[in-house]
Amino acid sequence: APVGALWKTLADFGEVGWMKGVSRVEVIGQGPGMVRNIYAGGDKAVREVLESIDEKARRIGYTITENNPMPTSEYHATCTAVDLGNGRSRLDWACHFTPKGMDEAKAKAAIEAMYGVLISWVKESVETR
């Protein structure tokens, strides 16, 4: 998909319609510092805070601050929409984390597996718009 379509999806931090299994999202504020509470059934939300948004670099940075589904105690991520030319793009998703309950290699493997799922959802959403 064109990089503009991918960036539009990433830049709208409060809109997570591309995520499967989400029952509700609460958005508090706007721009850096805004919070999105993502509910996937139940009454506990995954709380994510937008740390930065760089329109020129097409990059957002965020932190999961509560109810982290990842095997980490600290989690800071960046998502970047990369223009590959010819109407194609790539999503680079990276993070810094502190493993929780397992060694770093196992935590990394779990995060990479989750990224595969998340990126496929973003891809599907962007391509069907």
Side-chain angles (χ1 to χ4, degrees):
V3 72
L6 175 57
W7 174 240
K8 183 177 178 181
T9 298
L10 296 177
D12 190 354
F13 190 71
E15 169 52 46
V16 294
W18 53 269
M19 286 186 189
K20 300 195 188 278
V22 172
S23 58
R24 166 170 70 111
V25 177
E26 294 173 346
V27 176
I28 303 164
Q30 60 184 14
M34 78 180 285
V35 173
R36 67 181 179 193
N37 292 317
I38 303 169
Y39 294 85
D43 58 351
K44 283 191 174 182
V46 174
R47 176 169 284 195
E48 299 179 338
V49 177
L50 180 64
E51 294 180 321
S52 61
I53 186 163
D54 183 334
E55 295 280 339
K56 187 173 181 178
R58 296 186 191 101
R59 179 180 303 117
I60 65 165
Y62 71 97
T63 300
I64 298 176
T65 60
E66 290 180 36
N67 301 314
N68 188 348
M70 305 288 189
T72 67
S73 60
E74 297 286 327
Y75 179 87
H76 303 275
T78 58
C79 295
T80 307
V82 179
D83 189 354
L84 299 176
N86 296 322
R88 299 181 59 227
S89 61
R90 179 183 74 228
L91 171 53
D92 287 348
W93 205 320
C95 70
H96 298 283
F97 63 90
T98 302
K100 180 180 174 186
M102 63 181 66
D103 66 35
E104 186 169 341
K106 287 182 181 177
K108 181 179 176 184
I111 291 168
E112 286 177 348
M114 179 59 73
Y115 281 175
V117 171
L118 294 170
I119 289 170
S120 72
W121 291 346
V122 170
K123 181 179 187 282
E124 181 181 327
S125 175
V126 170
E127 289 177 344
T128 58
R129 285 188 179 182

